[in-house]
Amino acid sequence: MSMMAGRSRLILAAVGSIFVVGYAVLASQLRTPAFSDPMGPRAVPYLIAAGLGLSCIALLFEHVIVQTRRNADVSSTETRNADGGLTGTAVLTLCLLTGYYLLLERLGFILSTGLFLLAFLSFTNHRRWLVNLAVATLFPIAAYVLLATLLGARLPVGILAMG
């Protein structure tokens, strides 16, 4: 196994941490309406940043655990192949998330989420087009109904705005 493959989690955690800091800075610049719930739309970006930050920390711990196993000469097929597709999938996911972030306001929640899911599932869930299309169509609609209708969250409508 190459040295680079063994460090992919560490690299991903470092790049992800930089992404989290940038995301948090951008989130701090969001304007909220004068009359809104204090925990409303302002808290959501910070919760996302916290989740991404915790994911980076989990990757660091996972890297330490895998390295400790390798150093202890406890190698199994799973440990040797653990980094196989991680780097490519992680880079693709970060690119797709960046595109999602950039398109969210323009296209709206439903379309941008559907496109993100379709692209991501097409890469990770090969040749299951019917399932991928169903998830990419139904999940954003269900999430929108749950978040916007039942919880009162203001989600971007984008090009689907009526009037």
Side-chain angles (χ1 to χ4, degrees):
M1 175 180 287
S2 71
M3 185 68 87
M4 188 65 170
R7 293 189 182 168
S8 64
R9 285 181 185 85
L10 187 61
I11 293 167
L12 180 60
V15 170
S17 297
I18 293 168
F19 181 78
V20 167
V21 170
Y23 181 82
V25 168
L26 289 173
S28 71
Q29 297 173 1
L30 289 174
R31 287 188 251 152
T32 55
F35 300 103
S36 70
D37 179 16
M39 274 303 286
R42 187 134 176 99
V44 172
Y46 291 117
L47 291 172
I48 292 171
L52 291 172
L54 290 173
S55 297
C56 291
I57 291 169
L59 277 173
L60 286 174
F61 281 120
E62 188 176 20
H63 173 76
V64 169
I65 290 168
V66 168
Q67 288 303 109
T68 302
R69 285 183 183 165
R70 284 191 188 128
N71 291 341
D73 208 23
V74 177
S75 62
S76 66
T77 304
E78 182 180 314
T79 304
R80 275 184 260 127
N81 294 330
D83 288 332
L86 180 67
T87 304
T89 303
V91 169
L92 174 74
T93 303
L94 284 175
C95 290
L96 289 173
L97 283 171
T98 302
Y100 177 73
Y101 174 78
L102 294 173
L103 293 175
L104 184 61
E105 287 293 325
R106 290 180 187 95
L107 296 180
F109 177 81
I110 293 174
L111 288 177
S112 58
T113 303
L115 288 172
F116 168 78
L117 285 173
L118 187 60
F120 182 75
L121 290 172
S122 295
F123 183 76
T124 59
N125 196 22
H126 301 289
R127 298 184 206 135
R128 309 251 351 246
W129 287 103
L130 188 59
V131 171
N132 295 347
L133 193 56
V135 169
T137 303
L138 297 176
F139 177 80
I141 294 169
Y144 187 85
V145 168
L146 174 70
L147 294 170
T149 306
L150 299 178
L151 298 177
R154 291 187 197 153
L155 297 172
V157 183
I159 62 175
L160 295 179
M162 302 286 182

